Amino acid sequence: MRQPIPVTIVTGFLGSGKTTLLRSLIERRQTRRLALLINEFGEIAIDGALIREACEGDAQLRIHDFPYGLIAYGDDELFVPTMRAIAARRAHVDHVLIETSGLALPTAVMELLQSPELCADFVLDATLAVVDTPLLLSDQFEHGAGVNPAAAMFERQLEYADVVVLNKIDELDEAALLLAETRVRLRAPNVRFLELAHAARLDIRLALGLRLHQPTRTEHAHTYTALATMPAAGAGPLAGQSRLNGHAHSGLSAHNHGLATHKHFHEQDPGWLSFVLRSDAAQHEGQLKSALLEAARVEPILRSKGFVRTGESARAVLVQGVRARVTLSVDAAKPAAQRSELVFIGYHTSRSKVAAVLSDMTGTTWR
């Protein structure tokens, strides 16, 4: 009997750093031959372009783009045929990695992996939820799901995760990391593992080959070091360390997400908007950054990203914005384009107001 191809889902809210983490996993994949499905919520594929830079010329990597935000949801007619095509070349695929958009739940993929069309050829290895740790600590997810759509989406993504990866942690001290762990555990007490990604890097052994959902009757020998404490005030050692052993799966099933767990969370909540603004004029980096910060102040922009042309570099400049945190960096592999393109994602965000702020503060036309 042939073994099913393992599938790892990488989920996480807008701007959590999924694509950067995925690039680091690709670089550390050793000899694994990977198929990658990249899902974006937006008109142009920024994340797919960044992944392709990391994969360029590598015959052991195959990338499939899924635009418009909701991979494997009801209207997606591409997912099952793509997975069937991957199964047809199974001799050349060791693992499938699926990056969902920041506004999708992983459960749609989980459901279809259990469907008659796919269950014989694929098995869920694990679901990783990547967390923007400074954003988690900023209290912006602390307002109830009923009044904060971002908090609602964030909490549902954690709910279905096996592994939570705390990302963007390099400037945080131990107390902040413990607080972040506590907040994750309160929201998602059933998470198997909580990992730290220093410099957006995660050991490949903590991401691929976890076998958390694969039924088996074979015992696997693992050694675990007891944790001294769990993150909570006055907490002491756990009496039973075995409950932390997420790899224990000697029975018929391990942490099974049945089909009934999947409900399309927003199908798509019309409040979530994505739009692209373009400019043909060369940009000044300092002015553009100030304009993006001001736009995030006056409009509910949760994510901005794209490539811009500046008069200061012969290469394209990559823009990455998460709310009021904006960085611009020269992309070493991408030549300067003739036109700047930025994707904005937000909740009831006004395209015209954002365009007006950028045009006014940069002295160039954005539309």
Side-chain angles (χ1 to χ4, degrees):
M1 180 178 177
R2 65 185 183 185
Q3 292 297 312
I5 303 169
V7 178
T8 295
I9 305 171
V10 180
T11 189
F13 195 65
L14 297 167
S16 60
K18 298 185 296 296
T19 301
T20 305
L21 188 79
L22 200 56
R23 285 185 61 163
S24 75
L25 290 177
I26 292 170
E27 292 168 357
R28 290 163 177 74
R29 73 184 188 284
Q30 298 167 335
T31 60
R32 289 180 177 86
R33 297 165 297 179
L34 302 178
L36 296 99
L37 280 61
I38 309 298
N39 181 215
E40 297 192 60
F41 186 79
E43 182 181 334
I44 57 176
I46 304 301
D47 296 345
L50 293 173
I51 293 294
R52 278 184 167 80
E53 287 180 10
C55 300
E56 189 172 5
D58 195 326
Q60 293 188 330
L61 300 170
R62 187 78 63 90
I63 301 173
H64 306 267
D65 287 307
F66 284 74
Y68 304 112
L70 291 176
I71 190 170
Y73 275 64
D75 293 336
D76 183 358
E77 298 179 355
L78 184 60
F79 180 74
V80 170
T82 299
M83 294 296 284
R84 296 301 311 148
I86 292 172
R89 57 183 186 87
R90 61 184 305 117
H92 305 286
V93 179
D94 298 316
H95 207 107
V96 177
L97 273 165
I98 301 175
E99 179 192 3
T100 69
S101 83
L103 294 176
L105 297 177
T107 45
V109 174
M110 293 158 61
E111 177 178 324
L112 285 182
L113 289 178
Q114 298 180 73
S115 69
E117 297 95 330
L118 300 181
C119 66
D121 292 297
F122 299 96
V123 63
L124 180 63
D125 190 59
T127 299
L128 277 61
V130 184
V131 173
D132 181 335
T133 311
L135 188 62
L136 172 66
L137 295 174
S138 71
D139 297 334
Q140 296 190 55
F141 291 131
E142 293 304 305
H143 306 293
V147 297
N148 185 345
M153 179 61 65
F154 174 74
E155 291 183 4
R156 292 296 299 276
Q157 289 170 341
L158 290 186
E159 179 183 351
Y160 295 109
D162 299 300
V163 180
V164 169
V165 181
L166 295 180
N167 201 21
K168 305 183 181 181
I169 61 173
D170 299 279
E171 297 181 5
L172 301 179
D173 59 19
E174 184 177 351
L177 292 176
L178 287 173
L179 177 59
E181 287 195 37
T182 300
R183 291 189 173 184
V184 168
R185 292 288 183 189
L186 287 173
R187 286 175 169 83
N190 293 324
V191 164
R192 304 288 195 90
F193 301 107
L194 220 153
E195 307 292 351
L196 304 179
H198 292 279
R201 295 178 179 178
L202 189 65
D203 189 319
I204 195 74
R205 295 168 296 180
L206 303 177
L208 304 185
L210 298 183
R211 300 167 61 90
L212 297 184
H213 297 262
Q214 184 166 331
T216 176
R217 295 182 180 277
T218 304
E219 292 286 354
H220 296 270
H222 296 287
T223 302
Y224 298 89
T225 301
L227 298 182
T229 183
M230 289 293 287
L238 291 176
Q241 293 284 331
S242 62
R243 64 183 283 255
L244 300 177
N245 177 0
H247 287 282
H249 53 276
S250 57
L252 287 175
S253 182
H255 192 52
N256 179 45
H257 291 286
L259 297 181
T261 66
H262 175 64
K263 291 183 173 56
H264 295 304
F265 181 52
H266 49 189
E267 286 287 4
Q268 168 84 7
D269 183 340
W272 292 109
L273 301 175
S274 172
F275 55 85
V276 178
L277 292 178
R278 298 176 172 89
S279 177
D280 293 321
Q283 301 294 311
H284 182 278
E285 290 186 30
Q287 290 178 340
L288 179 60
K289 182 173 182 178
S290 296
L292 291 169
L293 291 172
E294 177 64 14
R297 187 187 70 81
V298 300
E299 282 295 302
I301 298 171
L302 302 184
R303 184 78 168 99
S304 57
K305 56 184 176 180
F307 293 100
V308 298
R309 180 172 69 93
T310 73
E312 302 156 47
S313 173
R315 316 299 295 181
V317 172
L318 174 65
V319 174
Q320 294 277 19
V322 180
R323 305 198 185 204
R325 284 183 282 140
V326 178
T327 61
L328 286 79
S329 57
V330 175
D331 190 289
K334 189 177 180 64
Q338 293 301 309
R339 166 181 282 189
S340 297
E341 293 185 318
L342 292 177
V343 178
F344 294 88
I345 304 173
Y347 198 71
H348 292 291
T349 306
S350 169
R351 185 182 191 279
S352 61
K353 290 181 180 178
V354 175
V357 169
L358 266 61
S359 297
D360 180 60
M361 295 190 64
T362 65
T364 62
T365 301
W366 285 87
R367 56 191 174 197

